[in-house]
């Protein structure tokens, strides 16, 4: 069957999948539903849970007591083509977890999928990032199997992992310990790329800054040491380094970005009382890491910048800040654009009239990095715009899902055929 023949089935599948609240740690009911659905659709299913101690030994992960792996199953379904052992295996990967939705800034219920007039757009948390794409991968695999299953050899794996938003718990587990009784030759991660092929993804360093000042009554503010003043000096030094790195650290796939390796200080908590000089501050920071760099490289640069500020400030010299890693770190990832899986996606794009086939880089991190690190060439390609991901009223243009499915079907056939 042509992929668009599954349109109604895909819509129903996606609506039901989106109704599950799958914020981190709540994925199990949706994954049990998905395993059952894949089984009903004719897939051979696999499940696995990450081992916290194994992940904690990985340099990207914190201590095992800082993240949860129990009752968080990842799920996959496999379709075999011809003689499966005589051909390659292609993984179509997505994730089930979503970021929280602040209902106060949504115009509809985040976990109650809403169609626009004419059913041309779908709004829900996860519509773009990225439950719809999981359904697209499943029905694309089925369409390819029905059309080419007797003529090609190999396997297609439709994989739905947990904990991507936390740093890739399910994907890291699969990369470190293969959950299948066969090897994997390449992967397509169907994150939202506006239907363009992404071969490089940025990493990020996560650090927590803690400062100590000296409190004083607001009426005698000058008797205290306001920690906010110290923070502003440090923040401006970090921003200067961000700008300098944007000029100095270059990459051919990131020339379109004005700020390719961004710094974000997403959380700042300071003080204890409105009429008391703030004497403590905690800031959580995310620093961009370019492909070709390491998290350690970037950490050393920002630590040196912080030390410059400390050395120039008597108070900070006597009361040095704490500046430590927290949560999961993202290493950057990049593959050769001449990898067969990239060529398969590009050829399929051209077959369906998509002209933006030049391989790109993106300023976000994704689960592709775990597979690339495991030696599995991985391209990121999927429906939707990253600017909708994590946003209120997250909305997908449905035609993008249909085009993505058509492209993936042809990419599967090209990739399997090229091995023959």
């Amino acid at each position: 069957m042509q992929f668009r023949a599954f349109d109604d089935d895909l819509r129903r599948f996606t609506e039901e999948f989106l109704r599950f609240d799958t914020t981190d740690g709540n994925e199990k009911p949706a994954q049990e539903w998905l395993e059952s659905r894949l089984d009903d659709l004719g897939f051979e299913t696999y499940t696995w849970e990450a081992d916290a101690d194994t992940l904690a030994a990985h340099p990207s992960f914190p201590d095992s007591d800082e993240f949860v792996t129990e009752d968080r199953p990842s799920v996959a379904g496999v379709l075999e083509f011809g003689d499966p052992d005589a051909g390659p295996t292609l993984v179509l990967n997505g994730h089930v977890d979503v970021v929280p939705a602040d209902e106060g800034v949504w115009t509809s219920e985040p976990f109650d999928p809403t169609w626009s007039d004419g059913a041309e757009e779908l709004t829900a948390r996860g519509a773009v990032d990225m439950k719809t794409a999981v359904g697209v991968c499943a029905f694309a695999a089925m369409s390819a199997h029905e059309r080419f299953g007797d003529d090609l050899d190999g396997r297609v794996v439709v994989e739905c992992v947990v904990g991507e938003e936390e740093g890739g718990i399910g994907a890291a587990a699969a990369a470190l310990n293969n959950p299948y009784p066969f090897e994997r030759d390449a992967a397509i991660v169907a994150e939202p790329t506006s239907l363009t092929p992404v071969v490089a993804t940025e990493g990020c360093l996560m650090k927590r800054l803690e400062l100590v000042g000296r409190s004083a009554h607001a009426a005698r503010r000058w008797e205290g040491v306001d920690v906010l003043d110290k923070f502003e000096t440090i923040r401006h030094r970090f921003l200067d380094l961000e700008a300098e790195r944007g000029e100095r650290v270059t990459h051919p796939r990131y020339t379109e970005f004005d700020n390719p390796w961004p710094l974000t200080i997403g959380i700042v908590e300071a003080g204890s009382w409105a009429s008391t000089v703030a004497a403590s501050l905690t800031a959580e920071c995310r620093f961009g890491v370019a492909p070709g760099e390491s998290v350690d490289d970037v950490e050393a640069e920002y630590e040196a910048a912080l030390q410059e500020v400390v050395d120039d400030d008597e108070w900070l010299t006597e009361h040095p800040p704490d500046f430590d890693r927290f949560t999961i770190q993202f290493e950057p990832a990049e593959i050769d654009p001449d990898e067969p899986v990239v060529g398969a996606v590009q050829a399929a794009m051209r077959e369906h009239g998509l002209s933006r086939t030049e391989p790109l880089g993106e300023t976000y991190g994704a689960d592709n990095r775990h597979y690339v690190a495991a030696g599995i060439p991985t391209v990121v390609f999927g429906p939707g715009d990253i600017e909708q991901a994590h946003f209120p009223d997250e909305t997908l243009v449905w035609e993008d899902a249909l085009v993505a499915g058509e492209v993936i079907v042809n990419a599967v056939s090209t990739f399997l055929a090229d091995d023959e």
Side-chain angles (χ1 to χ4, degrees):
M1 291 175 64
Q2 297 292 326
F3 180 79
R4 286 179 184 262
F6 291 105
D7 186 8
D8 290 342
D9 292 327
L10 177 59
R11 287 173 184 261
R12 287 191 292 269
F13 178 102
T14 303
E15 286 180 12
E16 193 165 354
F17 203 17
L18 289 169
R19 288 193 176 96
F20 290 94
D21 177 348
T22 54
T23 46
D24 284 340
N26 298 318
E27 304 102 332
K28 186 174 183 179
Q31 292 290 73
E32 291 175 338
W33 171 87
L34 178 61
E35 181 185 10
S36 176
R37 289 291 286 120
L38 290 175
D39 184 67
D40 291 343
L41 293 170
F43 290 81
E44 180 181 4
T45 59
Y46 293 82
T47 64
W48 66 96
E49 287 189 3
D51 178 75
D53 290 334
T54 299
L55 293 187
H58 189 285
S60 293
F61 285 81
D63 293 339
S64 59
D65 60 356
E66 294 187 38
F67 57 96
V68 176
T69 60
E70 293 181 2
D71 289 327
R72 302 181 71 179
S74 293
V75 173
V78 178
L79 293 177
E80 295 185 342
F81 289 62
D83 179 355
D85 293 324
T89 293
L90 178 63
V91 177
L92 307 178
N93 169 278
H95 62 84
V96 64
D97 56 306
V98 298
V99 298
D102 183 350
E103 295 186 14
V105 295
W106 281 63
T107 60
S108 60
E109 292 294 326
F111 296 102
D112 185 9
T114 302
W115 292 95
S116 65
D117 291 342
E120 295 177 350
E121 295 184 344
L122 176 61
T123 298
R125 175 58 85 219
V128 172
D129 188 16
M130 59 172 293
K131 289 182 189 171
T132 303
V134 173
V136 167
C137 289
F139 286 98
M142 291 172 58
S143 177
H145 191 261
E146 290 191 14
R147 293 170 60 187
F148 314 116
D150 294 331
D151 301 322
L152 299 172
D153 297 326
R155 297 180 181 85
V156 174
V157 180
V158 175
E159 192 173 81
C160 184
V161 295
V162 299
E164 189 274 345
E165 302 290 358
E166 284 182 80
I169 288 172
L176 292 169
N177 295 296
N178 187 355
Y180 313 111
F182 48 79
E183 295 304 314
R184 299 155 291 177
D185 296 286
I188 299 171
V189 172
E191 291 276 8
T193 66
S194 301
L195 300 175
T196 59
V198 171
V199 298
T201 51
E202 190 167 318
C204 67
L205 164 70
M206 307 295 290
K207 297 273 281 185
R208 182 181 287 120
L209 174 69
E210 295 180 295
L211 302 174
V212 175
R214 183 172 63 212
S215 63
H217 194 285
R220 292 292 185 272
R221 178 171 64 85
W222 52 88
E223 299 290 347
V225 177
D226 192 336
V227 74
L228 291 168
D229 294 337
K230 307 302 182 186
F231 173 69
E232 277 301 293
T233 302
I234 294 168
R235 187 176 75 89
H236 283 292
R237 179 64 189 95
F238 283 175
L239 289 171
D240 288 343
L241 178 55
E242 175 197 43
E244 187 267 325
R245 280 176 42 77
E247 295 290 332
R248 171 172 49 85
V249 181
T250 60
H251 191 288
R253 306 208 183 280
Y254 287 81
T255 56
E256 68 177 271
F257 297 104
D258 293 332
N259 184 7
W261 327 121
L263 154 69
T264 299
I265 302 177
I267 296 177
V268 178
E269 297 178 344
S272 59
W273 192 251
S275 58
T276 300
V277 171
S280 63
L281 180 144
T282 299
E284 294 187 351
C285 314
R286 182 235 194 236
F287 305 92
V289 181
E293 295 186 301
S294 71
V295 167
D296 289 346
D297 294 335
V298 175
E299 183 173 43
E301 287 200 53
Y302 279 97
E303 287 185 341
L306 175 61
Q307 190 61 49
E308 291 175 14
V309 176
V310 170
D311 291 344
D312 198 40
D313 185 288
E314 182 178 355
W315 177 268
L316 291 177
T317 299
E318 295 175 357
H319 305 83
D322 290 327
F323 193 39
D324 299 314
R325 292 187 185 190
F326 76 102
T327 193
I328 297 171
Q329 313 300 315
F330 282 58
E331 290 288 350
E334 183 175 15
I335 62 169
D336 189 326
D338 292 330
E339 285 286 353
V341 69
V342 180
V345 170
Q346 291 172 308
M349 291 174 64
R350 287 189 286 267
E351 288 183 54
H352 292 282
L354 299 178
S355 60
R356 296 173 61 200
T357 60
E358 181 180 353
L360 302 175
E362 262 296 354
T363 55
Y364 54 72
D367 276 342
N368 63 309
R369 73 191 192 281
H370 295 301
Y371 296 108
V372 171
I376 303 168
T378 304
V379 61
V380 187
F381 173 87
D385 189 333
I386 190 62
E387 293 181 4
Q388 285 288 326
H390 300 195
F391 274 57
D393 292 337
E394 179 181 338
T395 297
L396 175 73
V397 176
W398 191 251
E399 178 65 15
D400 284 0
L402 298 179
V403 173
E406 291 177 318
V407 170
I408 292 172
V409 170
N410 287 92
V412 166
S413 66
T414 298
F415 184 78
L416 297 190
D418 282 352
D419 196 68
E420 295 186 343

